[in-house]
Amino acid sequence: MTWRLVGNRTPEVLLVEDNEDDVILTRLAFQRLGSPVRVHHVANGQECLEFLRRRPPWTEAPWPDLVLLDLNMPVMNGRATLAAIVADEALRHVPVVVLTTSSREEDIAQMYRLRCSGYVVKPVDLMRFFDVIYMISAYWFSAAMLPKRPIVR
């Protein structure tokens, strides 16, 4: 399946993840889709906010159509990152899917209270992980409608 967004754009994903092995697996999962998806990576929440706000070195960064956010990271964790995104009027419309190893009910409830767009527990099985990335992509880049550009008031 080939995913193209409004205006025939290639989907842009911002992966916020501190574990390099998970970064490699996520990139591989997107490659296996057979459809172009650009995956950009930052290692923590502070870098995520700088990327989204186009601060150096990301002044020319594309606008992500989807943010995949890990919870447990150094510097600024996923909870603080999502809270900052939601508090910023220029960013709060960005879909943020939590992609983490935590299946704790407290984490799930807290992230939905903070208005995450979805919460997905990373499967430990490689093929299941690939399936999860496919399902996320199928929904966000095929079924859901996303804006062509940032929503600015």
Side-chain angles (χ1 to χ4, degrees), residues 138-150:
Y139 175 76
W140 286 104
F141 307 140
S142 182
M145 294 297 297
L146 296 168
K148 286 198 281 190
R149 60 184 64 81

Side-chain angles (χ1 to χ4, degrees), residues 44-46 49 71 73-78 80-81 84:
N44 61 62
Q46 182 178 343
L49 294 173
L71 279 187
M73 299 175 290
V75 183
M76 184 178 200
N77 67 33
T81 304

Side-chain angles (χ1 to χ4, degrees), residues 3-14 30 36-38 63-68 91-97 117-118 135-151:
W3 289 303
R4 291 285 187 187
L5 301 178
V6 174
N8 205 29
R9 295 182 306 108
T10 298
E12 306 278 355
V13 173
L14 176 58
F30 277 108
V37 175
R38 290 189 195 101
W63 187 256
D65 298 296
L66 179 65
V67 174
L68 295 178
L91 303 178
R92 70 174 54 136
H93 69 281
V94 179
V96 177
V97 172
S117 303
M135 288 183 278
I136 290 169
S137 299
Y139 175 76
W140 286 104
F141 307 140
S142 182
M145 294 297 297
L146 296 168
K148 286 198 281 190
R149 60 184 64 81
I151 299 170

Side-chain angles (χ1 to χ4, degrees), residues 102-122:
S102 175
S103 59
R104 291 183 38 204
E105 183 59 37
E106 301 84 32
D107 288 336
I108 296 166
Q110 179 185 28
M111 296 310 283
Y112 277 109
R113 275 194 302 274
L114 288 171
R115 309 304 300 154
C116 74
S117 303
Y119 191 105
V120 179
V121 176
K122 294 177 192 173

Side-chain angles (χ1 to χ4, degrees), residues 50-103:
E50 291 169 359
F51 185 102
L52 293 173
R53 292 174 176 148
R54 307 291 194 295
R55 294 190 180 140
W58 296 285
T59 54
E60 300 298 320
W63 187 256
D65 298 296
L66 179 65
V67 174
L68 295 178
L69 179 66
D70 188 25
L71 279 187
N72 301 310
M73 299 175 290
V75 183
M76 184 178 200
N77 67 33
R79 295 161 195 84
T81 304
L82 183 58
I85 289 170
V86 171
D88 187 326
E89 189 170 339
L91 303 178
R92 70 174 54 136
H93 69 281
V94 179
V96 177
V97 172
V98 176
L99 182 61
T100 186
T101 57
S102 175
S103 59

